[in-house]
Amino acid sequence: MSVFTAAADQSVCAPLPVLGRDVTVPLVTGGEVTYAALDYAASAPALQRVWDDVAAYAPYYGSVHRGAGYLSQLSTDLFENARRTVAEFLDCRTDDQLIFTRSTTDSLNLLARALPADCQVFVFETEHHASLLPWQDAKVTCLDAPRTPQQAVETLERALADRDPYDPALVCVTGASNVTGELWPVRELAATAHAHGARIVLDAAQLAPHHPVSVRDLDVDWVAFSGHKLYAPFGSGVLAGRADWLRTAEPYLAGGGASRKVTRRQDGGVDVEWHESAARHEAGSPNVIGAYSIASACKALTEAGWDTLVAREQHLVARVRAGLAEVPQVKVLSLFGDDAPRVGVISFVVEGWNSSHFAAALSAEYGIGVRDGLFCAHPLVRTLLGSDPQAQGECGAPEAAPGEKSLNAIRVSFGAGTPDEHVERFVTAVRELVTDGAKWTYRTEEGRCVPAV
């Protein structure tokens, strides 16, 4: 696009500039502090580059596809160029389709709607609900949580060997856990799936912001991720992969854009001829800005250099893990053990503390934003905490007795926009809270632990 001025070239630095890096928040103990956003696994802040690119395009925004006006044609080019940019970012195959959705959850629900009849779905209990729940209309086999990457491959091997080889099958697996941050053996799981005639979809929501994702190299059939975790929080996601199931499935949404031809029948009904391209599942007016923001983020991460980004993040991971290891009362949650490779997502519990109380104190007394709860991965967190699989988990007050009301954990997560100071402040805060206790009193309000007024 040359008709508007895109963001000026910025020198690559670590961390990458993000919005909100100078925001200050009040502390209950008095004064203000720069906010330490350490909840990237839920939603990462927007890259400054993404915001600047979107702001530069915004005056030229127009309807996409079929519009005769200049801005419509310009926006259509931008939208389709974004599709190509994201496909390159994912190293898609030449005949793959890339569909813009609302999120990872939306992407996997779309794929679930495209499953052929009698398709059996295999999914580990360790998945985020976005990849655990969409398959309810299929025959689902939920696999036990593995304790090593090799055990994951062996578990899938046994399950696939027992299936009906004449029925279609799909394996759904995460690339990096949203609870432990641990990397999963995606390439090996894909090879196992294909050896048994099954297909595989990769939930890359937590992987794509931290590591390069190559559809070709991993040999996955589909990949899904969310813009809001990839520093592009403008309401878009991606489903990319093999086109055949998508082309033959009923459109995910029925409406304008998905239809190629609509005719009136004599009986008063209508006949519809649907597109076979990505438009088949993109009915309605596309989220042009959302798609463009994802493409902008993909470019920014690629230009920054994955080797540099990964190395710096691993430095932060090591610092957090070392700091938590110095506090005996802290237990870090893990499936694969201390030596497992992981991204910047770490969950833990603190002996003698309700996790909601601890997270509230980090926020109110230190200006640090983390996440507490079960992280939309209830079966996995229950397994890691050794609780009854049927136990109900929820946030609780600091005085809550052990049991279902204290069934939660704390998650700290970070990435390319995280300054070293935020990590150092977090490590110091954990140590001080465990050693000295909270400086404030807290109560439960609408299910959340909050400072008492």
Side-chain angles (χ1 to χ4, degrees):
M1 303 298 299
S2 59
V3 296
F4 59 86
T5 303
D9 290 338
Q10 300 177 16
S11 59
V12 175
C13 61
L16 287 178
V18 295
L19 295 184
R21 57 190 180 275
D22 298 323
V23 168
T24 59
V25 294
L27 302 180
V28 293
T29 51
E32 293 186 343
V33 67
T34 303
Y35 183 65
L38 296 179
D39 193 16
Y40 276 45
S43 284
L47 285 176
Q48 184 69 53
R49 156 78 174 272
V50 171
W51 182 261
D52 291 345
D53 282 349
V54 167
Y57 161 65
Y60 299 90
Y61 172 79
S63 63
V64 174
H65 301 144
R66 301 172 302 282
Y70 181 78
L71 296 192
S72 177
Q73 294 180 39
L74 184 150
S75 295
T76 297
D77 287 345
L78 181 139
F79 184 68
E80 294 303 334
N81 283 333
R83 196 190 306 275
R84 285 186 284 272
T85 297
V86 179
E88 291 174 3
F89 177 79
L90 295 172
D91 191 23
C92 288
R93 298 163 292 249
T94 55
D95 56 350
D96 283 340
Q97 277 192 0
L98 190 143
I99 300 168
F100 284 115
T101 65
R102 293 179 296 178
S103 60
T104 308
T105 301
D106 196 40
S107 296
L108 294 174
N109 274 272
L110 189 164
L111 184 60
R113 288 275 298 274
L115 297 182
D118 300 320
C119 187
Q120 185 171 1
V121 177
F122 296 84
V123 59
F124 287 92
E125 68 171 345
T126 48
E127 293 292 307
H128 186 282
H129 293 172
S131 49
L132 182 66
L133 301 181
W135 323 106
Q136 299 306 306
D137 291 336
K139 181 181 179 183
V140 180
T141 299
C142 191
L143 307 174
D144 292 340
R147 287 299 182 169
T148 66
Q150 182 59 33
Q151 190 179 82
V153 177
E154 293 169 353
T155 298
L156 181 62
E157 171 76 36
R158 289 192 299 270
L160 291 175
D162 289 339
R163 80 178 184 91
D164 186 336
Y166 297 102
D167 287 340
L170 177 71
V171 177
C172 181
V173 67
T174 188
S177 171
N178 78 302
V179 176
T180 68
E182 292 163 316
L183 298 178
W184 276 63
V186 177
R187 187 180 295 104
E188 293 81 0
L189 291 168
T192 300
H194 293 153
H196 288 274
R199 298 190 181 191
I200 186 168
V201 57
L202 169 64
D203 174 355
Q206 300 296 339
L207 183 63
H210 304 277
H211 276 269
V213 175
S214 169
V215 170
R216 296 174 194 260
D217 182 53
L218 295 174
D219 197 23
V220 294
D221 297 281
W222 294 277
V223 61
F225 71 89
S226 297
H228 69 94
K229 299 186 191 300
L230 195 78
Y231 310 100
F234 290 88
S236 278
V238 168
L239 175 67
R242 302 200 180 277
D244 54 350
W245 287 7
L246 299 172
R247 284 175 178 158
T248 58
E250 286 295 307
Y252 184 48
L253 296 172
S259 56
R260 175 186 288 145
K261 180 181 179 182
V262 180
T263 56
R264 182 83 179 270
R265 295 198 307 262
Q266 290 294 328
D267 63 6
V270 294
D271 289 322
V272 185
E273 181 181 331
W274 304 106
H275 282 293
E276 292 187 355
S277 65
R280 184 183 188 91
H281 299 291
E282 292 179 345
S285 296
N287 181 356
V288 185
I289 287 179
Y292 181 47
S293 69
I294 291 179
S296 174
C298 290
K299 288 180 180 179
L301 292 170
T302 301
E303 292 168 7
W306 279 113
D307 289 345
T308 299
L309 295 174
V310 171
R312 182 173 184 280
E313 183 174 303
Q314 289 308 302
H315 163 72
L316 296 180
V317 169
R319 179 65 190 102
V320 171
R321 288 177 58 80
L324 294 179
E326 294 172 354
V327 185
Q329 295 87 344
V330 171
K331 176 187 175 183
V332 174
L333 305 183
S334 174
L335 273 175
F336 300 153
D338 290 342
D339 297 330
R342 66 196 72 223
V343 300
V345 179
I346 299 169
S347 295
F348 62 98
V349 292
V350 182
E351 181 182 346
W353 283 79
N354 174 274
S355 293
S356 293
H357 183 200
F358 201 90
L362 285 173
S363 175
E365 300 176 28
Y366 295 89
I368 299 171
V370 298
R371 173 88 28 152
D372 66 276
L374 301 179
F375 317 124
C376 291
H378 294 188
L380 171 56
V381 178
R382 290 188 179 105
T383 294
L384 294 172
L385 294 178
S387 68
D388 183 341
Q390 302 301 319
Q392 179 182 356
E394 59 181 88
C395 300
E399 68 274 11
E404 64 179 37
K405 282 192 175 293
S406 59
L407 179 59
N408 53 8
I410 306 149
R411 184 181 70 191
V412 56
S413 54
F414 40 86
T418 304
D420 287 28
E421 186 275 326
H422 291 182
V423 165
E424 293 300 331
R425 195 196 317 169
F426 167 76
V427 170
T428 299
V430 170
R431 183 170 57 248
E432 289 182 357
L433 283 173
V434 171
T435 302
D436 304 328
K439 301 180 180 68
W440 208 260
T441 57
Y442 296 82
R443 60 185 177 83
T444 299
E445 182 178 291
E446 297 182 354
R448 295 296 307 167
C449 189
V450 298
V453 178

